[in-house]
Amino acid sequence: MQAPVPIAGSGSRPPPSTRPGMSRKARERRNHALLHIGLIIYFTVSLMPFVWTFLTSLKQSRDVAAAPLKIFFQPTLDNYRAVLFNQYSDDSALARVRVDIPGSFMNSLIIAGGATLLAMLLGNIAAFALARYKMPEREVYAFFFLAFRFAPVFVFIIPMFLIYQEIGLYNTHLGMILISQVIAIPLIVWVMRSFYESIPPELFDSAALDGATRMQMLRQIALPLAAPGLAATAVLAFIACWNNFVFPFLLGAKQTQTITLATITFIGYEEVAWGMMTAAAIVTIVPELILAMLVQKHIVRGLTYGAVKE
Amino acid sequence: MKLQNRTNRRRFVQGAAVGAAAVGASWLPTRTDRIRAMQDSFDWKQFDGGQVRLILNKHPYTESLLPLVPEFEELTGISVPEPLILPEAEYFQKLLLDLSTGAGEFDAFMTGPYVHWSYDSAGWTEPLEPFLADPNMTSPEYDEADIFKSLMDANRWDLTLGGGTGQGSQWAIPVMVETYVQSFRKDLYDEAGIEPAVTIEQWRENNAAVTSGDIKGIIVRGERGGGMTGTGFISSFRGYGGVVLDEELVCQINSAEGVHVAEQYCASVRESGPEGWANVTWYEGQESFANGSYGQYMDCDFFNALYDDPDKSAVAGQVGFAHCPHAEDRDPFSSLWTWALAMSSKAQDKNAAWYFLQWATMKEQMLVATVEGRNYNPTRASVFDAPEVQATMAEWANGTYLPVVLANLGGFATLGWSPQPEQTFVSTRWDQALQEIWAGDGAQTALDSAKEDIDAHLVDTGVRS
C-alpha cells in the first residue's frame, strides 16, 4: 500500500521525525542553541543592573549624568578612593560631610554577623523542636514565628522604638542584633524545620534508646546531617540582615549606621553623587557575594534537600 | 569651534567667580579671631559643660556648618556629638518619629515653614522669641533685624489655622531660602528666537518650540509627594490669582484659575516633557537639565550652583532665569521655602540648644556657610550684600540670577500655602490630580475630585468644621 502523499496547502504535515532536511542531531543542536540564546538574553537582562552599577561607579560626575548615555568614558577610581579610604577631593562638599563607608561597613558586619549567629543558635533549637517533638498546638507555634514576617514592620517598630529608648538599647549594636532576630529567626525556623523533618526518625529513636538527651540528639545527629542546610540558611539569614534598611534607620543613629543606610547619604542638594553611591553599593554586595560563592554548593544542595521526603 | 570658545569663556567666567569667592574667603577672620571677638561681647561660657544633639538634613548649609562646630565647642564649652545627617525624605521620617513619640533624641534640627506648622500645633517645637528677647541669652551682636523680615515671618506663626503667619511665636530661624524660577537654556531660546514666557500659554508655546530631536522643552517635578505642586506650579497658580485654601479653609484648587493653569501646565508637560513624568524627582529634573536634555526646568533658583559648574554641567554659561509664568495683569509670584533651625520642646538642655541655634545663625557663620559652603540663598542681608557673595551670584545665569531672585525676595515671593497642620495631605492630593490630568483626565473633573477629598480630610482631621 502506498503511503498517502501530503497535498500542498492542505495543512497536513509529516510528523517531525520524518521532516525532510533536518536530522535529529541537527534539531537537538538547534534547540540547544536556542536554549543558550535564551539563557544569554536572560542573564544579560538580569546582570544589566549590576553591570550598570559597576560602570557608574567608575565614572566621574559629569559622565554619570551625560546625555546621551556615555558607553565609553575615562574610568576613575576616585569613587572607590572616597568610599573605601574616606579620601574625597577637597572641592567636594562631601569632603566636609564624609560618608563613613568603612565605619558603616564594620557596623553592618557586626550587626548582620551577630544577628545571624544568635538566630542560628535560637532558630535551630526551635526548628528542631517543631520538627521532632509532638506538642500541643505545634502548628500554632510554627505559625507564630512566620507571623513576624507577615506583619508590616511599622506595626511594631514604633513600640519597639519607645521600648528601645526606655531600656537603653536604642542606637546600640546589641539592640540592632536583637531586633534583627525578627527577620532571621522565622527564616531559619521554617527552612531548618523541613531539614530536620527529613532526617529518618529511627536515628533519633536509637539515640533515645542509648540515653541521648534532646540537646545531644540535636548536636550530634541533627546538626551534622543538616550541615548543607545550615550553611544555606545562615547565608540567607546573613543577607537578609545585611540588606535591612528599616531597623538601623529607625532604631539606630550615627554610631550604628549600617552600610545600606550610609549609601543613601550621597544624595544631596548640591548633587547626587551617583558615582560614590554606586561604588558604595558595589562594596556593599562584596561580602554577600563572597559568602554565597563559598557555600554555593551547599546552598543549592541545602535548598533542595528537604524538598522531597522519602 | 564655536562651542569650544563658549566653553572657554564659561570656564573663565566660572574661574573668575571662584577666584572672587576665594579672595573673599581669605578676607574672612581666622577661627581664633572669630572666637576672641565673640567672647569679648557676650558670656558664651554660661552653659559650659552642656550638650546639644543634632539631626541635620544633607544640605550645603549642613556641609558648611559642620567644620565650624569645633569653634562653637571651644567658644561655649558645650559639646556637640556627631550629628545624624540624612537625605530629605529619610530625614523627615526620622525627625517625625522622634518628635511624635516625644523620645527627645535630638535637641535641635532643621525644618521649614510648611513642615513645622504641624510640629508647632502639636507642641513639638520650642518658641524661640523668649530667648531672642533675653539679653542674657542672646548676644548684642546677633542683629536679628539683619535677617530678612519676610523669612523670619515665614517661620513665625500664632497657630491660627489658615492665617496668622508673621505673628505669634518664632518657631525657627531661617538659614537658607529658595524661590522658584524658570531656568531656561538661553542658547536654545536665542536659536528659536523666543523670549522667556510671561503667561502660561506662552510657556507652553516656548516648551513646544524648543522641543526638537533629543532635546525636550520642559522638565518639572512629577513625583507625587515630592514637592510636585509646591515649586513652579504653585507659583504660576498663585500668579494667576489662585489660592489653595480660602479664609474658611475651603479648598479652591478647582477654581477657574486653578483649572486653567493645571490644564496648560499638564498639556505642556505631556507635549514637551519627559515620558515618565510621574516619576520625575527634583534631582532627576536638576540633573537632566544640567546634562542638556531639556530646554527648561522650572524649580529652585539655587540649583543654578550646579548648572553653572562646568565640571558637573553641560549647560554652564547657557542658562537664563525668568519669573514663573503669571497672568499679564498681575505681578509674578513665587512660593518660597526656607530651611531653618528649630529646637525640640523635649530638648535636654534648652539653653545649650539655644546657644547653638544662635551661634549657627549669626553673621559670621552664615557668611562662611555661603562663601565656603555655597549655601545659597543666604537669609541675612549682610551676607547677601557681601562683595564675595554678590560676585558669585552676579555671574550666575548670565547675569539674570540676581535680578530675578532679588525681585522675588523683594516682594514677589511669599508662602504659597495657608498654614495648617495637614499640609502634606493637601499637597499630595493635588499632586495626584495633576498626574491624572497629565494622564488624560479632564482638569475640572480631576481637580473637583481632589477638592472634595481635601475638604473631607480637613473636616475629618478637625482642621475646619
Side-chain angles (χ1 to χ4, degrees), chain A residues 15 130 178 279 293 305:
Chain A
L130 287 169
L178 290 178
M293 284 166 74
Y305 189 77

Side-chain angles (χ1 to χ4, degrees), chain B residues 28-47:
Chain B
L28 293 170
T30 64
R31 172 180 166 166
T32 317
D33 291 342
R34 279 200 293 259
I35 292 172
R36 199 171 295 141
M38 290 177 82
Q39 276 170 338
D40 286 347
S41 55
F42 184 66
D43 182 9
W44 283 98
K45 288 281 185 193
Q46 205 178 164
F47 304 108

Side-chain angles (χ1 to χ4, degrees), chain A residues 14-284:
Chain A
S17 58
T18 59
R19 273 175 72 180
M22 187 175 275
S23 67
R24 187 174 168 176
K25 210 167 182 179
R27 270 200 321 281
E28 274 177 5
R29 271 205 304 273
R30 182 200 61 186
N31 290 344
H32 206 66
L34 284 175
L35 180 69
H36 271 84
I37 291 169
L39 284 173
I40 287 169
I41 292 170
Y42 173 77
F43 282 115
T44 307
V45 172
S46 305
L47 288 175
M48 189 54 78
F50 296 102
V51 174
W52 187 282
T53 303
F54 179 65
L55 289 179
T56 305
S57 72
L58 298 175
K59 287 182 177 179
Q60 290 166 354
S61 292
R62 200 172 160 169
D63 292 334
V64 174
L69 172 73
K70 272 195 177 176
I71 303 289
F72 301 103
F73 57 90
Q74 175 128 27
T76 175
L77 290 175
D78 284 354
N79 298 319
Y80 286 96
R81 212 165 283 132
V83 302
L84 289 175
F85 307 110
N86 278 341
Q87 289 176 3
Y88 296 88
S89 64
D90 288 341
D91 64 334
S92 167
L94 291 159
R96 294 162 176 269
V97 183
R98 288 161 196 262
V99 182
D100 184 11
I101 295 294
S104 305
F105 189 90
M106 280 309 296
N107 282 337
S108 283
L109 270 184
I110 293 167
I111 292 167
T116 305
L117 284 176
L118 182 62
M120 286 298 285
L121 180 70
L122 300 176
N124 271 293
I125 295 171
F128 184 65
L130 287 169
R132 298 269 37 120
Y133 297 104
K134 288 196 175 118
M135 60 183 100
E137 311 298 344
R138 182 166 70 164
E139 291 311 311
V140 174
Y141 289 127
F143 181 79
F144 174 75
F145 284 108
L146 205 58
F148 282 113
R149 301 294 291 167
F150 294 156
V153 70
F154 289 98
V155 168
F156 58 84
I157 199 73
I158 292 179
M160 287 309 295
F161 174 81
L162 291 169
I163 293 167
Y164 266 42
Q165 289 273 356
E166 197 62 36
I167 62 177
L169 282 176
Y170 180 83
N171 193 24
T172 62
H173 289 99
L174 177 62
M176 292 298 118
I177 289 171
L178 290 178
I179 193 69
S180 299
Q181 302 309 302
V182 173
I183 307 169
I185 284 190
L187 193 148
I188 290 167
V189 168
W190 274 81
V191 175
M192 289 309 298
R193 184 186 178 192
S194 64
F195 280 100
Y196 296 133
E197 280 174 346
S198 65
I199 297 172
E202 293 79 12
L203 290 174
F204 298 107
D205 295 342
S206 312
L209 282 175
D210 290 341
T213 63
R214 289 175 176 181
M215 284 308 286
Q216 281 172 327
M217 284 186 226
L218 171 64
R219 213 169 48 241
Q220 290 169 10
I221 300 172
L223 286 178
L225 286 172
L230 282 174
T233 322
V235 169
L236 292 176
F238 181 84
I239 291 173
C241 295
W242 181 272
N243 287 342
N244 185 265
F245 179 85
V246 176
F247 294 148
F249 171 49
L250 294 176
L251 299 180
K254 191 75 188 171
Q255 291 70 20
T256 51
Q257 193 170 55
T258 56
I259 197 161
T260 44
L261 197 53
T263 303
I264 61 158
T265 52
F266 287 107
I267 299 174
Y269 289 97
E270 68 283 13
E271 69 169 307
V272 179
W274 292 113
M276 293 181 201
M277 195 189 289
T278 48
I282 295 292
V283 171
T284 305

